[in-house]
Amino acid sequence: MNAGEAPLTQWLALAAQGERGAIDRVFTALYPDLRRIAHARLRVQGGVAHLDTTALVHESFLRLVDSASLAITDRKHFFTYAAKTMRNIIIDFAREHLAERRGGGVQPLQLDTQIAGEVAIDGDLTLMAVNDALLALEALDPTLSQVVEMRYFAGYTEPEVAELLGISERTVRRQWDKARMFLLASLRQ
C-alpha cells in the first residue's frame, strides 16, 4: 500500500459508515484521476449524446453516493466500481440518444480496439452491441468482463488494469485478447 492509500482507505471506511465528509474527501482526492479517465473514454468514443467529462465524473459520483449499501474498501475497489458505473452511464446516455434519434444520421463510434475495423456497425448501435456482448461475456467469465470494462469503458491502460486488479500485465493482455475474441465473435453474429 502506498502512502497515499492509507488515508483513502480510512476515508472509504468512514464513508461506508455513513460519514458524508469522508466520501467528499475521497471524491476530492480521486477527482483528477476520474476526470482523466472520463475524458479519455469520451474522446475515444467521439462524445456520447451530450455527455461531457464533468457530467460523466459527477454522475458517477452521484451514483456512488446513492448506493448506500455499497461498501468500497480500497482504491482498487473504488476504481473498479467507477469503471462499471461509467460504463452504465455511457450505455444509458447512448440508449437515450438512440431513443431520441429514431434512426437519424449516426456518427461512427471508434472503438479503441481492432474490433472497429472488423465489425460494420455504426454509432450508438455499436456501443449497445458491445454492451450486449459484454453482458454475455460477464455471464461466462466475470473477470474477462471486468478487464473489458476497465479498458474499454473506463479507458484504463494495461498497466493500470494490472495494478488495480493485482495481476501481471501479461495476464491482462491475455485476458484482453481472449475477451476481444469473444466480443468480436458476438458482434459478428
Side-chain angles (χ1 to χ4, degrees):
M1 174 184 306
N2 63 41
E5 178 120 2
L8 181 63
T9 303
Q10 292 168 354
W11 295 335
L12 287 166
L14 290 171
Q17 297 169 7
E19 185 181 313
R20 173 63 190 195
I23 196 67
D24 291 340
R25 287 190 297 272
V26 168
F27 183 69
T28 300
L30 299 179
Y31 187 79
D33 291 326
L34 291 172
R35 261 191 81 73
R36 179 187 54 82
I37 292 163
H39 179 72
R41 180 75 271 131
L42 292 173
R43 183 176 38 91
V44 166
Q45 292 179 342
V48 178
H50 308 298
L51 183 62
D52 64 20
T53 301
T54 302
L56 181 55
V57 171
H58 287 242
E59 182 66 22
S60 297
F61 179 70
L62 289 174
R63 289 190 185 185
L64 170 68
V65 171
D66 287 344
S67 182
S69 63
L70 184 66
I72 296 178
T73 57
D74 57 22
R75 181 181 185 90
K76 171 188 158 187
H77 191 200
F78 181 87
F79 280 110
T80 302
Y81 176 79
K84 187 174 226 31
T85 302
M86 285 184 188
R87 168 189 165 201
N88 291 336
I89 292 166
I90 290 169
I91 294 299
D92 289 347
F93 272 81
R95 278 192 184 114
E96 285 178 27
H97 190 245
L98 278 172
E100 290 172 7
R101 192 179 66 236
R102 299 280 188 242
V106 179
Q107 294 296 318
L109 171 71
Q110 298 300 314
L111 298 177
D112 58 351
T113 69
Q114 296 171 354
I115 296 172
E118 301 175 28
V119 179
I121 304 174
D122 289 330
D124 293 326
L125 293 175
T126 299
L127 191 57
M128 301 308 295
V130 168
N131 185 60
D132 291 344
L134 189 55
L135 290 173
L137 178 61
E138 186 173 28
L140 293 174
D141 191 330
T143 303
L144 292 181
S145 175
Q146 188 175 37
V147 168
V148 173
E149 281 179 345
M150 295 179 90
R151 287 287 323 267
Y152 180 70
F153 286 95
Y156 293 116
T157 64
E158 287 176 358
E160 290 170 328
V161 172
E163 180 184 341
L164 289 169
L165 296 180
I167 58 178
S168 72
E169 287 182 45
R170 184 177 175 152
T171 300
V172 170
R173 276 191 293 280
R174 279 195 311 265
Q175 290 177 337
W176 177 239
D177 289 342
K178 188 175 178 181
R180 281 187 12 226
M181 287 188 305
F182 177 88
L183 292 173
L184 179 59
S186 296
L187 291 172
R188 284 186 173 162
Q189 292 180 358

